[in-house]
Amino acid sequence: MPTNKLSLNIFLSCLEAKGFQVKFYYDRVKLYVSSGNKTINLDKICVNKDQQIIIPRALLHYDDIGQMIDVHQPRSAYFGRLKNALTHEYVINYVEFAMDILGSQNQVAKLSELLIERIVFERRSRNRFYYNQHENTHYFGQRFKHSDILVLYSDRESKVASGRQCVHIEMRLYGSKILKKFDIYAIQDLIDFSHDKIWNKYLDLRDVNYTKLGGLVTEEKATLTDSSYRRHGQSYFDNFVGSQHLLMEDPNFVKAFPPIINRRMFESRLDNALQ
């Protein structure tokens, strides 16, 4: 993963200049709580009963843990009531950090295409660039294998802005170990959390150097012109959903995908996408 990449502030500024609105929230949170916390008290903290599910569930290495709270789109007020209701041990074990980029249907479709093409999620592991698509949802990580998974879709309305179309980008963090790396230990940490910590780390946009890619994929021994290499690179890239999909097939081509690092680069790609 490049250390020099586009900051969230520049990303947001460029989007807002084009008329997009961006909302950050938790799409889902799971906490494992001690059996000493009475279910009857926990039931009272959620106004919408369908938003919260409480089920019997043990957690490895925690003898006293006997319940799991699974809550969708929790707000600060909910967390405040939950914090007051919990009188015994609990562990925050799963969080979905969401970013909804709101715009017109046409804007959302074009932005979604750009982001699917340009987002890359690189890991220091054997499976360096994991990618999978299920229906219209794109997964940059594998459940039960990766503790951090980026998810993107744009075919549903926003869950926090009723009736608005959006590009939904989500970081799913599994396990208390990775959450503690972001200083999330307790419910108050979720209330106080700044979402830019997540996106400055995980939002990685890459450019495509079609000329370099063409040189890497061309089998001819003879030297070709840059324009010929560029055509070869563009043609090869068009066989894939986006950069991540291509790099999963051959990680050695990563040298043809330099990071988008500044406003000028992102504005140019955004302008072309929205035409």
Side-chain angles (χ1 to χ4, degrees), residues 14-60:
C14 292
L15 290 175
E16 289 166 0
K18 295 296 183 182
F20 291 99
Q21 295 177 285
V22 182
K23 292 187 176 292
F24 299 98
Y25 61 100
Y26 301 108
D27 202 4
R28 192 174 184 181
V29 175
K30 294 181 182 179
L31 303 92
Y32 287 78
V33 303
S34 167
S35 300
N37 293 292
K38 301 297 184 181
T39 302
I40 188 169
N41 294 329
L42 298 177
D43 281 338
K44 296 177 181 178
I45 65 174
C46 198
V47 176
N48 181 356
K49 300 304 180 184
D50 294 332
Q51 184 184 20
Q52 174 185 270
I53 300 171
I54 303 173
I55 59 175
R57 183 71 56 85
L59 184 63
L60 193 64

Side-chain angles (χ1 to χ4, degrees), residues 141-159:
Q142 187 175 5
R143 193 180 181 193
F144 304 124
K145 184 174 183 180
H146 297 128
S147 60
D148 46 0
I149 299 174
L150 188 144
V151 177
L152 187 152
Y153 60 79
S154 60
D155 60 336
R156 280 157 271 179
E157 291 183 355
S158 171
K159 297 171 184 175

Side-chain angles (χ1 to χ4, degrees), residues 154-208:
S154 60
D155 60 336
R156 280 157 271 179
E157 291 183 355
S158 171
K159 297 171 184 175
V160 292
S162 181
R164 297 291 304 278
Q165 293 296 123
C166 73
V167 180
H168 177 90
I169 313 175
E170 180 178 295
M171 270 307 308
R172 299 177 178 179
L173 299 188
Y174 290 82
S176 59
K177 182 178 180 181
I178 191 170
L179 289 167
K180 288 174 182 177
K181 291 180 180 179
F182 290 94
D183 297 320
I184 296 176
Y185 294 82
I187 292 170
Q188 188 63 45
D189 300 325
L190 291 172
I191 296 172
D192 298 335
F193 190 75
S194 177
H195 286 249
D196 59 357
K197 290 182 181 180
I198 291 293
W199 300 111
N200 276 321
K201 176 176 175 60
Y202 287 111
L203 188 63
D204 182 4
L205 302 177
R206 305 283 180 98
D207 206 0
V208 187

Side-chain angles (χ1 to χ4, degrees), residues 2-6 204-207 257-262 265:
T3 55
N4 189 15
K5 57 191 182 73
L6 194 71
D204 182 4
L205 302 177
R206 305 283 180 98
D207 206 0
F257 295 84
I260 294 174
I261 61 174
N262 57 46
M265 292 178 70

